[in-house]
Amino acid sequence: MEDILIIGAGPVGLLLACELSLTGARPVVLDRRPQPGDTPKANGLGGQIIDVLDHRGLLERLSAGSPFFGVPPGFPFGSVPLRFAGVDGIPLRMLMIQQPRLERLLGERAAELGVRIRWGHEVTSLAQDAESVTVQGEGFALRGRYAVGCDGGSSRVRELAGIGFPGTTDDEQVWLGHFTTGTETGVFDHPRVAGLGPGWNRTPAGRVLVTSLQPGVHIVGVREVRGDAAGRVTIADFQAAVRRVLGDDLPLGEPIWLSRTRSQARVAERYRSGRVFLAGDAAHLFPAGGSALNVGLVDAVNLGWKLSATLAGNGPEGLLDTYEAERRPAAERALMQTRAQAALERLPQEEGDALRSLLTEVFAYEEPVRHMAALLHGSDLPYGGGGHPLIGRLVPDLRVVTEDGERRVAELMHRGRPVLLDLVGTASLDQELGGRVEVVRARCADAPAEAILIRPDGVVAWAGSGGDGLAAAAEQWFGRGSVGAVR
């Protein structure tokens, strides 16, 4: 019997597999595709996941060769610009990386950790009992102690587990295409494109977007109210959509990837059914861009260590239930702000212009901009909390001095283990630590607490002075015997 069956080898499934392998479990990843995909469904990462990837030592690998990595000068909130330049305390960092490259690099990391990926394995049935989950498809049947559906918005695992997916589907059809330049002048020199602004531009027949994220490749998007989106998209179909909305043909060039979809706004009724879990788009869909991978990949990191601890017999009672308790509110928060973005785009001209003008004035002030940056980053809503303000939040990337020299806190998290960071030497512990909590004694200028107990996903489980409450927090998250008595 396998430890964990992960259905879906997209970014969320691959990162979950890496997290599980790093912390001792042995997952198997199944994907219905015959091989890794090459469609650039996403063009980058942004938000808290950047900090989390830094904790695993993956950020340098992923950002190498990227056309942009860092705090962006601004961000379009729907059709309202947020300007970050000159504003201190912006947590939001962005990394431009197309999905095929992201999947390839995560796949390489998974291979280094011994993860098994089985391509061409489409799951068609699922059954579970008190001890295991069995999935089957044509020519295979696999049994695991748990299963996780990372198989996207049309998740078969979610359907087979009987989990509802309430929400709405947009009445607008969205066409999106990536093209290589096919003319001497290029699409941006076309007179109809020269008059377009950044982001989505409204026309009497819909909206249109023309942009580029890398040299030699441009992206064209079209939104229109039209019939059901179905069937393979041809370049003729796409050009006809451009003509209907823009009123003119464009020199699109050679298509790399064409799609036709409808935006959806949904969160699964629950993230767990017995031994089956959902993560990523299988658990939530957002009607505006910029949040899906951030939320989905953080799902994977949150769930991974909890499944590993449970498999190893170290997870306290109820640990797996904290996955939904923590990650579903995060998805609901992302759904709220992406619905707001979509509403700003859909409003009729006069009402929309008025609201966009007002919000542009509000977002000219630093505090609203910081608030919106934290909202987009995903750090405005702590898990639980109470007591010290660090509790329930991602640990700040402090620079500390250990016996091995100066290090960043992110470097201490590479092994995916819980860490007790003792910054002033007062949180002394008995020698019996059960091997589950790594104690790092260090010095730190302007330390935010005397000691910080950090979960494997980088979230602060406890922070304070004198050790009051430390043993209880360690037992709550890591089980009995994880730390000795505090004195």
Side-chain angles (χ1 to χ4, degrees):
M1 182 164 62
E2 308 291 350
D3 282 349
I4 308 284
L5 305 175
I6 299 173
I7 296 84
V12 173
L14 290 172
L15 184 59
L16 176 60
C18 291
E19 288 292 296
L20 288 163
S21 295
L22 186 66
T23 49
R26 289 293 172 260
V28 176
V29 184
L30 311 176
D31 198 289
R32 63 183 179 83
R33 298 173 295 174
Q35 59 191 14
D38 58 2
T39 56
K41 297 179 181 178
N43 292 291
L45 299 173
Q48 207 165 30
I49 188 57
I50 299 289
D51 308 298
V52 174
L53 291 169
D54 194 13
H55 286 182
R56 293 297 182 262
L58 291 172
L59 189 53
E60 185 175 356
R61 181 187 298 200
L62 296 179
S63 62
S66 171
F68 180 84
F69 168 59
V71 177
F75 191 87
F77 187 80
S79 50
V80 180
L82 294 170
R83 305 195 186 282
F84 301 145
V87 180
D88 296 330
I90 298 297
L92 183 66
R93 289 189 291 171
M94 304 198 74
L95 166 63
M96 287 184 62
I97 180 171
Q98 290 199 320
Q99 186 160 329
R101 175 174 169 79
L102 175 62
E103 290 185 5
R104 178 174 63 80
L105 293 175
L106 289 177
E108 290 174 0
R109 177 56 176 158
E112 292 168 3
L113 294 168
V115 173
R116 292 163 291 163
I117 302 177
R118 299 189 179 183
W119 300 102
H121 281 57
E122 182 174 4
V123 171
T124 57
S125 69
L126 180 151
Q128 60 176 312
D129 54 32
E131 296 182 351
S132 66
V133 181
T134 300
V135 300
Q136 297 186 61
E138 185 175 352
F140 74 91
L142 287 171
R143 185 167 171 248
R145 292 180 63 183
Y146 294 94
V148 186
C150 303
D151 50 340
S154 56
S155 171
R156 183 68 168 150
V157 171
R158 186 185 62 238
E159 178 186 343
L160 293 170
I163 299 175
F165 203 36
T168 59
T169 300
D170 200 344
D171 61 354
E172 282 190 334
Q173 186 166 262
V174 182
W175 303 75
L176 195 64
H178 290 222
F179 305 87
T180 57
T181 302
T183 66
E184 292 183 3
T185 57
V187 70
F188 293 101
D189 291 328
H190 190 280
R192 289 289 285 155
V193 173
L196 298 177
W200 290 95
N201 294 261
R202 190 179 300 275
T203 76
R207 286 173 284 161
V208 64
L209 162 78
V210 182
T211 189
S212 178
L213 298 176
Q214 59 179 308
V217 177
H218 56 270
I219 300 171
V220 178
V222 177
R223 292 176 178 265
E224 59 176 341
V225 177
R226 201 164 172 83
D228 290 339
R232 180 175 173 270
V233 180
T234 67
I235 185 65
D237 296 331
F238 199 97
Q239 189 68 271
V242 171
R243 191 182 309 116
R244 284 191 300 269
V245 174
L246 191 60
D248 198 356
D249 288 327
L250 293 179
L252 295 175
E254 188 68 24
I256 301 171
W257 174 62
L258 302 173
S259 72
R260 175 175 50 188
T261 61
R262 291 184 184 277
S263 297
Q264 298 186 59
R266 302 181 184 277
V267 175
E269 287 180 340
R270 59 191 190 277
Y271 280 22
R272 179 185 185 182
S273 175
R275 290 180 171 268
V276 179
F277 294 82
L278 303 177
D281 286 355
H284 40 70
L285 290 173
F286 306 127
S291 295
L293 274 179
N294 183 37
V295 179
L297 290 169
V298 177
D299 288 347
V301 177
N302 185 290
L303 179 59
W305 74 272
K306 296 173 181 178
L307 278 172
S308 286
T310 302
L311 285 166
N314 300 326
E317 184 178 356
L319 180 63
L320 290 179
D321 293 331
T322 68
Y323 168 61
E324 178 173 346
E326 292 181 341
R327 294 309 300 159
R328 198 170 189 280
E332 291 170 340
R333 187 73 171 158
L335 184 62
M336 178 276 291
Q337 58 96 348
T338 53
R339 272 182 163 149
Q341 291 191 55
L344 282 169
E345 293 278 9
R346 285 196 304 263
L347 283 172
Q349 191 73 43
E350 292 79 7
E351 291 88 342
D353 286 348
L355 183 55
R356 287 186 284 269
S357 295
L358 179 61
L359 288 177
T360 299
E361 291 183 14
V362 172
F363 294 160
Y365 294 93
E366 290 190 2
E367 283 309 311
V369 168
R370 288 193 189 94
H371 176 80
M372 296 304 293
L375 177 64
L376 294 168
H377 183 248
S379 58
D380 64 315
L381 185 69
Y383 299 150
H388 197 281
L390 286 180
I391 296 176
R393 298 187 180 277
L394 202 67
V395 63
D397 193 21
L398 307 170
R399 288 191 174 273
V400 299
V401 179
T402 71
E403 61 181 12
D404 298 321
E406 184 176 275
R407 302 180 70 186
R408 296 165 50 232
V409 168
E411 297 174 57
L412 305 178
M413 305 305 300
H414 286 187
R415 297 171 61 194
R417 297 185 59 194
V419 170
L420 175 65
L421 186 59
D422 180 0
L423 295 174
V424 294
T426 60
S428 57
L429 303 175
D430 285 348
Q431 295 299 309
E432 181 55 50
L433 299 175
R436 287 177 239 160
V437 178
E438 181 179 352
V439 179
V440 177
R441 305 193 188 280
R443 301 188 311 278
C444 176
D446 300 320
E450 292 186 358
I452 305 172
L453 181 63
I454 311 168
R455 301 181 343 187
D457 57 354
V459 173
V460 175
W462 175 90
S465 59
D468 293 340
L470 172 58
E475 184 173 318
Q476 174 189 353
W477 290 107
F478 313 125
R480 291 184 180 276
S482 55
V483 297
V486 178
R487 61 176 183 266

